[in-house]
């Protein structure tokens, strides 16, 4: 027991220990909670932990947008303070059914709106590679927890990058699945046509393993589909015959830091060394119109989804002389600045008279992005880019500048709008901080991403344990 080192233990290794009865589920759970007790005052990954293990398998952390029966779920917002769901989200029920034991609920930007966790009403999480820096967001709590060994794996939710980007900034592997492969039932809604729950872990195989547990049709979410093929755990370390495409626009994106570019390019060399062909594709609309399109579609859907927080049905209620006053006060005190900004943006974009010019237009752009990605992927197995234009930035750096914060997702957003799966894996360091590589596949192409990701990961040999905790 004493030799259990949660900083480097993968979920697959933990499963092996359990199978050989070298450790019990309860001992594993305890080991992670001990690590939480040691580190989480500083890192603030968890909003709350669960003391008693519920399952006897590997423990897991869940982003606090995932409803958990009997356990407070706030989505990082004061307006949900005290809200204790009476049911489990389908993904929570599935991990429970698989025997995974819940370690706790992890920090997130309020309603998953943000790229740094600084928008959490409960204060930011910190990056284990450098605690003066953000872990990314919105799922920074899960990413920082996995990186620091406070959870072997976890679930996040990705609307425009919130699984991929924090995974990149914390040196983890993260998957945003194909839209519709993972149930959104019981997941606090941000933008329903974009939200997808996805796994975060230390290895591609762990991510694939967790994906097998959560994916597949759910009768409680009519937008889900059965997987056309079962998930295969990747084995091969060769990329022979694999065709990767770098969008030619990536070369001209000034937002990409030189150190990120260098790590990305050296990973492409590694891919070539493994037998991959690296070509070029054309995504002329993606990086020009992806962001503006997303910042119309996502706030529009959010403004509608967030209308349900009225002081009656969930969490916070601030009394007033009339019903209307009570609702106004509750929403005024309950929502932080970012959800308010998005509610206003979205309401404006949907207003009669503006609908066609903004929301309608954005939906047309979205269709073009879908076509553009489909064409680009016709001759290739995956599109490859850096995940984030920058490494983890200092806490406070972008907090006062919403547009700078939005720009963090320049590279992750377009494929989200297209509904496509994306896998981020660490590909090196810049300034001593992890750099993420993003692989974008065809619809339902997760197996292909796992194969490429696993082979690359083996050859890159990235040490996922943050330097300062080695
Ligand atoms: N950072 C993006 C936003 O603020 C994406 C967030 C997400 O994927 N949930 O909307």
């Amino acid at each position: 027991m004493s030799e259990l080192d949660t900083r480097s233990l993968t979920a697959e290794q933990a499963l092996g220990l359990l199978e050989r009865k070298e450790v019990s589920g309860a001992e594993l759970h305890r080991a992670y909670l001990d690590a939480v007790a040691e580190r989480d005052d500083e890192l603030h990954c968890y909003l709350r932990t669960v003391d008693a293990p519920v399952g006897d398998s590997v423990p897991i952390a869940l982003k606090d947008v995932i409803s958990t029966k009997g356990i407070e779920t706030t989505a990082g917002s004061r307006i949900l303070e005290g809200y204790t769901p009476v049911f489990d989200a389908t993904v929570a029920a599935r991990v429970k059914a698989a025997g995974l034991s819940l370690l706790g609920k992890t920090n997130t930007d309020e309603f998953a709106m943000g790229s740094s966790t600084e928008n959490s009403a409960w204060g930011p999480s910190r990056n284990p590679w450098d605690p003066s820096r953000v872990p990314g967001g919105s799922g920074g709590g899960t990413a920082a927890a996995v990186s620091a060994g406070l959870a072997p794996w976890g679930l996040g939710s990705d609307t425009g990058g919130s699984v991929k980007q924090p995974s990149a900034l914390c040196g983890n592997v993260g998957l945003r699945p194909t839209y519709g492969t993972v149930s959104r039932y019981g997941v606090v809604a941000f933008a329903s046509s974009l939200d997808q729950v996805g796994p975060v872990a230390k290895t591609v195989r762990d991510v694939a393993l967790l994906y097998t547990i959560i994916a597949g049709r759910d009768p409680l979410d009519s937008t889900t589909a059965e997987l056309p093929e079962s998930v295969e755990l990747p084995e091969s370390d060769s990329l022979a015959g694999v065709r990767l495409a770098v969008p030619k626009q990536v070369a001209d994106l000034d937002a990409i830091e030189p150190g990120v570019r260098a790590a990305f390019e050296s990973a492409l060399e590694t891919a070539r060394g493994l037998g991959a062909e690296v070509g070029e594709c054309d995504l002329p609309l993606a990086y020009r119109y992806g962001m503006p399109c997303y910042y119309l579609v996502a706030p529009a859907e959010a403004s509608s989804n967030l209308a349900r927080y009225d002081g009656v049905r969930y969490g916070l209620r601030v009394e007033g002389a009339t019903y209307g006053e009570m609702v106004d006060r509750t929403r005024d005190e309950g929502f932080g600045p970012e959800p308010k900004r998005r509610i206003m943006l979205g309401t404006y974009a949907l207003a009669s008279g503006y609908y066609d010019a903004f929301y309608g237009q954005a939906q047309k752009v979205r269709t073009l992005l879908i076509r553009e990605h489909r064409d680009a992927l016709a001759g290739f197995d995956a599109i490859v880019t850096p995940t984030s234009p920058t490494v983890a930035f200092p806490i406070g750096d972008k907090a006062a500048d919403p547009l700078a914060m939005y720009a963090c997702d320049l590279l992750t957003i377009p494929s989200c709008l297209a509904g496509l799966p994306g896998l981020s894996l660490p590909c090196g360091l810049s300034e001593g901080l992890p750099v993420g590589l993003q692989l974008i596949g065809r619809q339902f192409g997760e197996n292909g991403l796992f194969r490429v990701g696993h082979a690359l990961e083996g050859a890159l040999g990235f040490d996922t344990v943050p330097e300062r905790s080695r």
Side-chain angles (χ1 to χ4, degrees):
M1 236 326 263
S2 55
E3 71 277 10
L4 252 190
D5 184 355
T6 64
R7 290 169 308 174
S8 58
L9 192 69
T10 68
E12 202 178 359
Q13 288 165 345
L15 279 168
L17 294 177
L18 285 167
E19 247 162 53
R20 296 191 299 274
K21 301 210 185 322
E22 288 170 34
V23 70
S24 72
E27 283 169 333
L28 267 177
H29 193 101
R30 178 47 48 204
Y32 282 97
L33 284 190
D34 287 348
V36 172
E38 202 177 301
R39 290 298 304 282
D40 212 37
D41 280 349
E42 181 189 19
L43 298 175
H44 191 41
C45 305
Y46 285 92
L47 296 178
R48 66 205 64 80
T49 50
V50 179
D51 273 339
V54 272
D56 52 11
S57 187
V58 180
I60 188 166
L62 299 181
K63 185 179 180 182
D64 202 35
V65 296
I66 297 171
S67 298
T68 39
K69 187 174 174 178
I71 299 166
E72 190 186 17
T73 300
T74 67
S77 181
R78 206 163 284 283
I79 209 162
L80 279 172
E81 187 167 16
Y83 169 59
T84 304
V86 293
F87 69 107
D88 274 324
T90 295
V91 288
R94 288 192 179 177
V95 298
K96 227 186 233 181
L100 307 195
S101 151
L102 179 62
L103 284 166
K105 307 295 293 289
T106 50
N107 199 13
T108 166
D109 286 297
E110 199 176 345
F111 289 101
M113 297 169 177
S115 301
S116 66
T117 74
E118 290 168 288
N119 295 336
S120 167
W122 318 115
S125 300
R126 292 173 180 273
N127 192 314
W129 289 80
D130 175 354
S132 72
R133 291 173 187 258
V134 304
S138 61
T142 294
V146 170
S147 170
L150 311 190
W153 54 11
L155 290 179
S157 66
D158 192 296
T159 305
S162 281
V163 165
K164 295 183 284 183
Q165 185 259 15
S167 298
L169 269 44
C170 289
N172 301 319
V173 182
L175 171 74
R176 175 204 164 82
T178 302
Y179 183 82
T181 57
V182 180
S183 172
R184 287 179 294 107
Y185 178 74
V187 180
V188 176
F190 165 9
S192 309
S193 76
L194 289 155
D195 299 344
Q196 269 307 270
V197 168
V200 177
K202 285 186 183 296
T203 67
V204 174
R205 279 175 66 93
D206 277 4
V207 161
L209 211 55
L210 188 47
Y211 183 59
T212 61
I213 295 172
I214 59 168
R217 167 136 179 89
D218 174 16
L220 299 173
D221 175 356
S222 62
T223 61
T224 52
E226 210 48 79
L227 301 188
E229 55 179 31
S230 52
V231 181
E232 287 160 23
L233 285 191
E235 309 263 358
S236 166
D237 48 15
S238 156
L239 287 178
V242 169
R243 303 193 60 201
L244 302 175
V246 181
K248 67 177 185 212
Q249 287 73 19
V250 164
D252 299 323
L253 293 175
D254 297 334
I256 301 175
E257 289 175 350
V260 169
R261 212 177 267 287
F264 172 67
E265 269 156 20
S266 114
L268 293 179
E269 265 321 300
T270 305
R272 286 193 190 94
L274 294 173
E277 232 178 89
V278 181
E280 194 177 74
C281 67
D282 196 12
L283 296 176
L285 305 176
Y287 309 110
R288 195 149 163 214
Y289 298 119
M291 290 255 299
C293 175
Y294 174 88
Y295 277 99
L296 286 167
V297 173
E301 293 183 18
S303 70
S304 163
N305 276 326
L306 269 50
R308 74 190 65 174
Y309 303 107
D310 57 2
V312 177
R313 285 172 285 189
Y314 309 88
L316 183 77
R317 176 192 191 109
V318 183
E319 295 299 343
T322 62
Y323 167 75
E325 200 178 290
M326 181 278 289
V327 175
D328 285 354
R329 283 191 175 174
T330 301
R331 290 172 67 83
D332 186 31
E333 286 184 31
F335 288 129
E338 191 60 32
K340 282 182 182 157
R341 182 177 296 121
R342 302 215 186 184
I343 289 168
M344 284 192 282
L345 271 172
T347 307
Y348 186 82
L350 290 174
S352 93
Y354 294 111
Y355 184 97
D356 287 337
F358 293 116
Y359 186 71
Q361 194 71 3
Q363 291 293 25
K364 289 181 192 163
V365 171
R366 191 170 182 183
T367 301
L368 296 178
L369 288 172
I370 293 170
R371 289 190 194 146
E372 176 177 285
H373 279 82
R374 192 190 50 207
D375 293 349
L377 281 161
F380 294 98
D381 298 295
I383 296 169
V384 54
T385 72
T387 309
S388 159
T390 71
V391 291
F393 45 91
I395 290 179
D397 234 27
K398 300 183 201 277
D401 184 352
L403 289 181
M405 194 66 89
Y406 296 174
C408 295
D409 291 308
L410 173 70
L411 296 160
T412 51
I413 276 177
S415 57
C416 294
L417 285 163
L420 301 177
L423 183 75
S424 178
L425 64 136
C427 70
L429 295 173
S430 163
E431 302 163 48
L433 297 163
V435 174
L437 175 118
Q438 174 180 234
L439 294 163
I440 297 159
R442 296 193 195 101
Q443 221 177 6
F444 302 111
E446 277 78 358
N447 278 336
L449 297 186
F450 295 149
R451 271 197 299 274
V452 177
H454 173 73
L456 256 179
E457 164 185 78
L460 289 166
F462 183 86
D463 187 343
T464 57
V465 179
E467 245 156 31
R468 66 170 61 213
S469 43
R470 275 176 214 159

